[in-house]
Amino acid sequence: MAASEDGPEAPTEELDVACGLENFPVSTWPPGARPEPFQYTPDHVAGPGADTDPALITLPGCSCRRARCRPGTCACLRRGDSYDEGSRLRLVLTASAARRAPPVFECNALCRCGDLCGNRVVQRGLQLRLQVFRTEKKGWGLRALERVPKGHFVCEYAGEVLGAAEARRRIQAQTVRDPNYIIAVREHVRDARVLETFVDPARVGNVGRFLNHSCAPNLLMVPVRADSMVPRLALFAARDILPGEELSYDYSGRFLNRMDSEDQEQPDDAKPRKPCYCGAQSCAAFLPYDSSLYRPSEKPGVGQEGDV
């Protein structure tokens, strides 16, 4: 029987931003609203200039046969157990502003411990129901539809892994009206080297691309390695998060990371700044600015530190 012209419209299928590629569908609000088109990927993909294909397995596996690998016997846990019995990141549970983050390595596809190993957290993908929603001033945002305990893994910031030159080319081609998705993560290692990772989820990315900046964020970004030295940019709850609360992280990387004086660089006053609408009491009024992406070469800034 055909519906009358004046009758109610037939219900439409709820949009899944993740296109069925995550453990849970990622809904949108308001219903029927659609973010700008992009290709969804739950994991990093190799982009222009990338030194390593993030899909390749390059790290050796452990020979453990237990359900949970243990420090002292597992090659993947030479730096200690990263997660507690509840799969919460110990770094977040004990972090303070006076310390830098040690490297986190998970067991990988070559390990013999199996998929139920407690040292496999980020690689399992989304374990929470998330929703992309329209904010009042910040465009699209991301929130959890359930309570998130402190230290719990929330999502990754996944996209195209770029070479430094391509990252600079893309960001310098942007206008002040264009959203900037490119993130530069710098990790200081023992021999004074700095490992740089550039990720752009603008064209190819996951739900992490909808996370907004906050000067008082509820998420902490931590590089986590599993199959290769290309880090997964994992976001963990920095405190208990209520259902419906917007998820955010500090774009500058300063949150819970000690800053050296030479790294606290101010932008060129001639460069237009984008206003910050996070609403925190500590709001800096403008979004963070990475001057290294606007110059041919620049001294590396602060990131995570450890014996990677």
Side-chain angles (χ1 to χ4, degrees), residues 56-214:
L56 295 178
I57 303 173
T58 58
L59 293 178
C62 68
S63 57
C64 305
R65 294 183 178 273
R66 298 180 179 178
R68 184 178 182 88
C69 292
R70 301 292 181 185
T73 60
C74 177
C76 300
L77 295 176
R78 291 193 301 269
R79 299 159 184 83
D81 201 342
S82 299
Y83 304 107
D84 69 4
E85 298 295 331
S87 298
R88 298 179 301 171
L89 187 68
R90 295 182 187 275
L91 163 67
V92 176
L93 301 178
T94 60
S96 68
R99 60 181 296 178
R100 285 176 175 160
V104 177
F105 285 82
E106 292 192 358
C107 292
N108 60 52
L110 298 181
C111 293
R112 303 177 69 179
C113 52
D115 293 339
L116 298 180
C117 174
N119 194 39
R120 300 177 186 269
V121 174
V122 174
Q123 62 193 266
R124 290 183 181 142
L126 294 186
Q127 302 297 317
L128 299 164
R129 295 192 178 275
L130 303 179
Q131 184 177 74
V132 175
F133 72 105
R134 284 194 188 277
T135 68
E136 183 177 351
K137 295 182 178 180
K138 297 176 290 185
W140 292 98
L142 187 67
R143 59 189 173 196
L145 299 181
E146 54 191 281
R147 179 180 175 274
V148 186
K150 181 178 180 179
H152 196 286
F153 170 64
V154 175
C155 69
E156 293 185 50
Y157 193 86
E160 289 183 277
V161 178
L162 307 175
E166 176 65 13
R168 292 186 177 94
R169 186 195 69 78
R170 290 190 184 185
I171 202 166
Q172 290 176 24
Q174 293 175 354
T175 70
V176 69
R177 298 181 184 86
D178 294 327
N180 175 34
Y181 293 97
I182 298 175
I183 188 170
V185 175
R186 300 179 177 89
E187 301 171 90
H188 296 252
V189 298
R190 283 188 304 182
D191 56 1
R193 290 183 301 121
V194 176
L195 303 180
E196 291 187 309
T197 304
F198 301 93
V199 175
D200 183 6
R203 308 168 185 172
V204 183
N206 76 331
V207 293
R209 72 193 298 279
F210 296 105
L211 290 166
N212 283 311
H213 165 82
S214 176

Side-chain angles (χ1 to χ4, degrees), residues 164-165 167-169 171-172 186 198 265-269 271 289-299:
R168 292 186 177 94
R169 186 195 69 78
I171 202 166
Q172 290 176 24
R186 300 179 177 89
F198 301 93
E265 184 176 358
Q266 297 299 319
D268 185 346
D269 290 338
K271 196 70 184 177
Y289 175 96
D290 188 343
S291 62
S292 69
L293 294 177
Y294 291 90
R295 297 192 179 103
S297 62
E298 183 72 16
K299 183 177 180 180

